[in-house]
Amino acid sequence: MRVLGAFPEAMPSGNSRPPASLASVALCLALWFLLPLSSLAGDRRPLSVGRTSGWKEKTLILLDVSTKNPVRTVNENFLSLQLDPSIIHDGWLDFLSSKRLVTLARGLSPAFLRFGGKRTDFLQFQNLRNPAKSRGGPGPDYYLKNYEDDIVRSDVALDKQKGCKIAQHPDIMLELQREKAAQMHLVLLKEQFSNTYSNLILTEPNNYRTMHGRAVNGSQLGKDYIQLKSLLQSIKIYSRASLYGPNIGRPRKNVIALLDGFMKVAGSAVDAVTWQHCYIDGRVVKAMDFLKTRLLDTLSDQIRKIQKVVNTYTPGKKIWLEGVLTTSAGGTNNLSDSYAAGFLWLNTLGMLANQGIDVVIRHSFFDHGYNHLVDQNFNPLPDYWLSLLYKRLIGPKVLAVHVAGLQRKPRPGRVIRDKLRIYAHCTNHHNHNYVRGSITLFIINLHRSRKKIKLAGTLRDKLVHQYLLQPYGQEGLKSKSVQLNGQPLVMVDDGTLPELKPRPLRAGRTLVIPPVTMGFYVVKNVNALACRYR
């Protein structure tokens, strides 16, 4: 069982064919090929294209999007967040009440909030009016009641000492929170590497075999969920609560058997079927490993395995990826929190939406391992900025992409479709900078050479806003800072998020995608029928 809340607001694809205008051009000049992340229609055999040499790229790519109907529609809260139970240590509400953290979280709203992780198995509920009495320290009630008063008192004390205005003094609470976060981080690392955990105060172990030395089969787990559902419905306040599960791991043979037994018994009891995906078991050792297409594509096969079992018993049931990690150990130091990891994350978002997964929950929003969006000093990492752009620009409707490649000298070489990945969505209708009917592309270029894309068909001669995300600083792919269209992204001095300014491109201009980069491209005023209505 997982506890989910919601942040306040601040699909098998059909065999679609490319529009006639684009198809006629392609038939005259080149052979068709489709990216694996487009509508996936027709022949998927690789088409060889000329090998590139540095910046002298001779391949022009024609791109169009089907705008009449979406191929998928995902949840409005598609990109959601997770908090690890480790923050329940003394003073946990200090972290959640930080103005800086609240600002960062609001930037990613609307979203579901999942509270879970390994430590969930070592939490115990206590039916006490004041849980603080059982552990000898201030509890949540104390913090909720006194947090704002403490802030005011510390502000006044600082004013008397330094004679400055309240609005201008440093954030003392932020420094205290960072100090506590550093101490907590050491404790978590010790527990993680020793695989020995101390109890906190909640229950319901789910990773039974690994952490408890015993297993529960799918049928029994399904019966437990049915009983839990019945219990929730018998209590008025929880009678309309949603239930999600079984939160399985990588869909190997024994895990698929567990899911099969669970769905057979309790498929109708859950509102969505959940699972977790871990890309690798600690094999990532350098930044370029995040650019390997075989690694990026491991998720697609897992999605199909999960969907096959779910659709056998409950066709159409929503599926959530309730946790995505680079490695099972919570990420890789100095890599999972770098710019390089963004290729994996953005491809995950595109692939999940394209294959009909309703929600993905990012593990973790704050300070868990090395896979978090915000570090222990409350600084946003590259994947945070990537997620922020995604939230601002991408809507829930997924569109089919059609691509044709034109080349002057056909020669055997690397397949372009594997390393150039293009996704298309209706632009987020909450973004008032763009009228309804606009389309947002997000493009991942894993090649070591630039790629030129010519917008065709319904996208021809339209104005485009570019949001190009690149590493900032001397560390390159290992950088923990990013720049947007050449300007570094940092929080403003007053603790607010910076304005995400696009770079306007003139109508009809060829898109030039730099090597080993990712970016968003809003095609304005397309008047796409699929995007005009919610």
Side-chain angles (χ1 to χ4, degrees), residues 364-375:
S364 176
F365 172 63
F366 166 66
D367 194 43
H368 174 76
Y370 306 105
N371 203 54
H372 42 242
L373 299 180
V374 180
D375 69 16

Side-chain angles (χ1 to χ4, degrees), residues 268-458:
S268 60
V270 293
D271 294 88
V273 177
T274 62
W275 104 100
Q276 295 197 16
H277 175 66
C278 180
Y279 275 96
I280 42 179
D281 295 323
R283 291 189 300 234
V284 169
V285 294
K286 55 185 182 295
M288 291 302 292
D289 287 340
F290 285 98
L291 279 61
K292 292 180 178 178
T293 56
R294 285 179 296 178
L295 175 62
L296 272 61
D297 291 339
T298 56
L299 176 61
S300 182
D301 183 56
Q302 293 198 19
I303 294 173
R304 288 192 291 268
K305 289 180 180 179
I306 298 292
Q307 288 174 331
K308 182 179 179 180
V309 177
V310 172
N311 290 330
T312 298
Y313 297 101
T314 53
K317 175 74 69 175
K318 299 294 185 183
I319 301 176
W320 289 18
L321 180 57
E322 203 177 66
V324 56
L325 287 166
T326 308
T327 70
S328 57
T332 306
N333 189 19
N334 294 323
L335 287 177
S336 297
D337 49 5
S338 69
Y339 175 83
F343 294 102
L344 206 62
W345 177 227
L346 187 57
N347 185 72
T348 296
L349 293 172
M351 186 175 288
L352 289 170
N354 201 61
Q355 292 188 235
I357 301 304
D358 195 48
V359 171
V360 54
I361 298 180
R362 173 61 187 251
H363 186 290
S364 176
F365 172 63
F366 166 66
D367 194 43
H368 174 76
Y370 306 105
N371 203 54
H372 42 242
L373 299 180
V374 180
D375 69 16
Q376 65 181 29
N377 292 319
F378 303 160
N379 293 318
L381 293 163
D383 276 8
Y384 176 85
W385 297 115
L386 198 59
S387 302
L388 182 64
L389 282 166
Y390 189 96
K391 280 287 190 180
R392 295 278 178 89
L393 300 174
I394 301 297
K397 293 183 179 180
V398 186
L399 304 175
V401 175
H402 306 286
V403 180
L406 307 180
Q407 57 192 59
R408 298 178 184 176
K409 296 180 179 179
R411 291 180 300 176
R414 288 179 296 183
V415 180
I416 202 171
R417 69 174 189 177
D418 288 336
K419 291 194 172 185
L420 185 67
R421 298 172 179 235
I422 305 174
Y423 301 89
H425 284 239
C426 294
T427 302
N428 189 342
H429 58 261
H430 294 297
N431 191 325
H432 301 301
N433 294 322
Y434 302 106
V435 298
R436 291 191 179 183
S438 298
I439 289 173
T440 300
L441 309 168
F442 54 105
I443 302 175
I444 302 170
N445 183 14
L446 301 174
H447 287 275
R448 298 188 183 185
S449 59
R450 66 179 181 175
K451 297 298 170 186
K452 294 182 179 181
I453 299 177
K454 185 71 173 178
L455 300 183
T458 55

Side-chain angles (χ1 to χ4, degrees), residues 40 106 112 153 200 225 349 369 389 469:
L40 298 176
R106 281 177 177 165
F112 294 112
R153 284 195 294 271
L200 294 176
Y225 267 75
L349 293 172
L389 282 166
L469 206 64

